[in-house]
Amino acid sequence: MKEVTENKINIWKETPVIWVLLSIFAALLGYIYFDGFIRLVDVWEKQEEYSFGYLIPFITLFLIWQRKDILEKNEFPGSWVGVATALTGILIFIVGELTTLYLLIHYSLLIVLIGTVLSYLGWKSFKVILIPLLFLAFMIPLPQFFMRELSQVLQLLSSEIGVWFIRLFDISVYLEGNVIDLGVFKLQVVEACNGLRYLFPLMALSFMMAYFFQDKLWKRAIIFLSSIPITILMNSFRIGAIGVMVEYWGIEMAEGFLHDFEGWFVFMACMVVVFIEMWLLAKIGGKKRPFQEVFGIEFPADTPEDAVIHERKLPLPFIGSGILIVLVALSMLVMPERVDIEPERQDFYAFPKSIGDWSGSTDRLTTNVLDELKVDDYLLMNYKSTDESIVNFYVAYYATQKKGQSAHSPRTCIPGGGWKLTAITQPTLDGIDVNGVPLSVNRTIIQKGEHKQLVYYWFQQRGRVVTNEYLVKWYILWDALTMNRTDGALVRLTTYIPPGQDIVEAEERLKAFAKLAVAELEPYVPN
């Protein structure tokens, strides 16, 4: 705190000119990241586990306003480290645009925002609001591969603990994977019951509670980290309770309003447990303070009436950040949109319906699926061999791959249909070449209930065969820069495994079909 000779407090205020410049800066950021923000809102709308995302920016603004009385006592010298941070975020944004990865675009927004705030405030004031700024990370969805793996782990763990709870009531129950068999009824712990819809909101809430909890750091860490086991245990209790009620009162206990109400009740119960935990932690330690003193939402003190008011000056580092943002916005506005080269190819309608001993029948994707995939052309056919075996052949082709319009990984799409993936391996299929290179595929067995299918899939992109989804993004970036091409396709083969059939038969069936089909693809998927 700085004082003048009469013991008056120095207060710094933004001038109207600075507020106008800050507003222009915010508008430019909105213009640059408009598409990415719309994508964020779409995620908040469609994924229940992130439906709380709408609240995060407003909560952050409140938390920053809460420190207003501290901030106004500090002069803002700015920091050139903030300019370097903003530049890093802009570079990540460019990579995200070229690789079609919204994840990079969203995190670049957070990095640019943090960098520009640092370039305006300087380190002393920046540390005052660092935690509220980091809170913004909760509104950004995690990578799909992480979400998928986490979902499967939580499904199995919740199923196991739920079955343990059911057995406490002396109910005979059998667990197979994520299917709870009660004899008369079978309950499947699907993705909607994995606990993610409680986990992320509760983690965000616990993070905020830990921020308000004015005590030792290890206690704050416990409050935040404990949200994970609390969610898992309470969701498992919910699954177990549903199993008990289904056993005594029928399957309607697991459906409709009761099912949704149980979910709401569990989340509220999780919040109560966190509050109890905070109350207990406040009692632990050398100096015991009342809970109201340890945890409370404070409001900023009023500006002293006798304070000496100073007008802020625009820090030079912030001007540097502003120039960067203006240049990016101008480049997006003035420079023509990069147009990819779209190589000539045949449309899939001409793809042969007879391949060797296989005869195909055309299938169609529904309108809502096409709206989601945004393919430029696709092939979906069921080929039947002379021995009545069937292979589903699907190819999704993109003339250009941009944000929201690129090959979707089956790792993401298949679980959406209720299928569970086993471990994925990358075997090389002997005797099958693509552009002179042996064909390597992602191989997995998917299962839903008692039904199993063997799946091969790969990404065929500009003469390459790639099995890694993120390596595909790297090649999109590289080829966009060096070849001005981003076209490519996802190729997938699927065959049903009848009960009792040896997996070796399904393997040989897919390999035999792949050898014939791959040879026909070249005119439709250019090298």
Side-chain angles (χ1 to χ4, degrees):
M1 182 188 306
K2 294 184 179 181
E3 298 182 353
V4 294
T5 53
E6 296 84 1
N7 293 323
K8 292 183 179 179
I9 298 175
N10 289 313
I11 297 295
W12 277 265
K13 296 283 188 180
E14 278 76 14
T15 65
V17 172
I18 289 181
W19 280 118
V20 170
L21 291 175
L22 290 176
S23 300
I24 293 173
F25 182 85
L28 289 174
L29 273 183
Y31 171 72
I32 294 170
Y33 286 97
F34 180 77
D35 191 42
F37 187 73
I38 291 299
R39 177 72 173 190
L40 265 184
V41 173
D42 188 57
V43 171
W44 300 341
E45 181 70 26
K46 294 180 179 178
Q47 298 184 24
E48 290 190 4
E49 56 266 30
Y50 285 108
S51 58
F52 65 96
Y54 292 102
L55 302 175
I56 298 298
F58 297 102
I59 294 174
T60 296
L61 288 174
F62 170 77
L63 297 179
I64 293 174
W65 173 80
Q66 205 182 23
R67 313 309 297 272
K68 178 181 74 71
D69 55 339
I70 299 175
L71 293 174
E72 67 182 9
K73 295 175 184 176
N74 297 336
E75 192 173 6
F76 294 165
S79 171
W80 288 104
V81 175
V83 180
T85 303
L87 178 59
T88 301
I90 290 170
L91 293 176
I92 294 174
F93 169 76
I94 295 171
V95 173
E97 286 280 329
L98 292 174
T99 58
T100 77
L101 280 173
Y102 273 109
L103 179 70
L104 294 181
I105 294 172
H106 293 153
Y107 278 106
S108 80
L109 170 60
L110 182 59
I111 294 170
V112 169
L113 188 60
I114 288 175
T116 51
V117 169
L118 175 56
S119 72
Y120 180 67
L121 300 183
W123 281 107
K124 181 179 179 181
S125 298
F126 177 75
K127 289 186 288 187
V128 173
I129 61 169
L130 175 59
I131 299 302
L133 288 175
L134 293 179
F135 187 65
L136 289 170
F138 283 101
M139 72 180 182
I140 300 176
L142 293 173
Q144 282 295 328
F145 74 90
F146 179 79
M147 290 286 290
R148 181 183 62 253
E149 298 298 329
L150 180 61
S151 176
Q152 291 186 6
V153 170
L154 289 179
Q155 279 178 264
L156 294 175
L157 186 58
S158 298
S159 300
E160 291 173 359
I161 300 176
V163 165
W164 172 83
F165 179 81
I166 293 172
R167 287 172 178 160
L168 291 179
F169 289 81
D170 200 27
I171 297 173
S172 178
V173 60
Y174 175 71
L175 177 65
E176 182 180 4
N178 62 334
V179 178
I180 300 174
D181 190 347
L182 294 166
V184 179
F185 303 109
K186 287 186 179 181
L187 302 176
Q188 184 176 10
V189 182
V190 296
E191 285 191 356
C193 297
N194 59 21
L196 286 179
R197 65 173 65 178
Y198 317 128
L199 179 59
F200 294 145
L202 189 65
M203 287 182 69
L205 184 63
S206 298
F207 185 89
M208 191 168 60
M209 289 179 173
Y211 173 73
F212 288 128
F213 194 75
Q214 302 301 312
D215 210 323
K216 295 178 180 179
L217 180 61
W218 66 268
K219 293 184 180 181
R220 291 180 164 190
I222 288 177
I223 292 170
F224 174 59
L225 296 176
S226 66
S227 62
I228 300 173
I230 288 173
T231 303
I232 294 173
L233 290 174
M234 294 301 289
N235 187 57
S236 301
F237 166 77
R238 169 180 175 248
I239 292 171
I242 290 174
V244 171
M245 290 190 293
V246 167
E247 173 71 15
Y248 288 107
W249 295 293
I251 195 65
E252 60 271 12
M253 294 291 105
E255 299 172 343
F257 171 77
L258 281 175
H259 181 273
D260 295 335
F261 176 77
E262 289 156 1
W264 177 85
F265 177 81
V266 166
F267 180 74
M268 298 303 295
C270 287
M271 291 179 58
V272 171
V273 172
V274 173
F275 270 107
I276 293 173
E277 177 187 27
M278 291 170 59
W279 180 79
L280 291 174
L281 287 171
K283 302 295 182 182
I284 299 175
K287 184 180 179 181
K288 298 179 176 60
R289 293 182 291 163
F291 182 69
Q292 294 84 350
E293 183 180 330
V294 178
F295 178 77
I297 300 177
E298 299 178 353
F299 293 94
D302 294 331
T303 301
E305 294 183 0
D306 60 345
V308 178
I309 307 298
H310 300 273
E311 291 185 348
R312 290 198 191 279
K313 296 180 180 179
L314 207 61
L316 191 58
F318 180 74
I319 295 175
S321 294
I323 292 173
L324 286 176
I325 297 302
V326 168
L327 290 175
V328 175
L330 284 176
S331 67
M332 294 178 64
L333 183 64
V334 176
M335 291 179 61
E337 185 177 357
R338 183 180 62 84
V339 178
D340 291 338
I341 295 174
E342 298 183 14
E344 293 185 4
R345 57 177 291 273
Q346 285 187 263
D347 294 332
F348 279 127
Y349 75 83
F351 196 85
K353 292 188 176 181
S354 294
I355 305 177
D357 295 331
W358 298 81
S359 298
S361 58
T362 303
D363 202 351
R364 294 292 176 189
L365 296 174
T366 59
T367 302
N368 62 320
V369 172
L370 286 173
D371 290 341
E372 183 70 23
L373 295 178
K374 297 181 175 66
V375 294
D376 291 303
D377 194 11
Y378 75 94
L379 174 73
L380 182 60
M381 297 188 73
N382 293 305
Y383 283 90
K384 182 183 293 187
S385 67
T386 52
D387 65 355
E388 299 299 310
S389 298
I390 295 177
V391 170
N392 178 266
F393 188 33
Y394 170 66
V395 186
Y397 178 78
Y398 295 84
T400 61
Q401 298 188 75
K402 301 177 181 178
K403 303 188 305 298
Q405 185 179 3
S406 59
H408 288 223
S409 170
R411 293 179 186 234
T412 302
C413 300
I414 289 175
W419 294 90
K420 179 184 175 184
L421 283 79
T422 61
I424 296 179
T425 58
Q426 288 79 34
T428 298
L429 305 185
D430 296 332
I432 306 177
D433 294 344
V434 176
N435 202 26
V437 178
L439 176 64
S440 295
V441 302
N442 287 299
R443 173 201 178 276
T444 185
I445 296 175
I446 62 175
Q447 183 170 357
K448 181 164 63 173
E450 299 177 354
H451 300 285
K452 293 182 180 180
Q453 298 187 70
L454 176 65
V455 179
Y456 288 171
Y457 74 90
W458 65 91
F459 299 91
Q460 198 160 320
Q461 314 248 331
R462 304 167 300 285
R464 300 185 188 89
V465 170
V466 185
T467 55
N468 184 285
E469 291 90 339
Y470 290 90
L471 191 57
V472 168
K473 299 299 184 182
W474 159 251
Y475 282 127
I476 289 175
L477 170 63
W478 180 253
D479 291 345
L481 296 173
T482 60
M483 301 168 56
N484 204 30
R485 282 179 59 188
T486 59
D487 54 286
L490 164 72
V491 185
R492 189 189 71 200
L493 306 175
T494 309
T495 189
Y496 181 68
I497 307 173
Q501 185 180 84
D502 194 327
I503 187 64
V504 174
E505 293 184 43
E507 296 274 10
E508 294 302 321
R509 181 161 64 248
L510 273 196
K511 289 178 182 178
F513 180 82
K515 187 171 185 177
L516 297 170
V518 166
E520 301 284 348
L521 269 181
E522 185 173 345
Y524 306 90
V525 183
N527 290 328

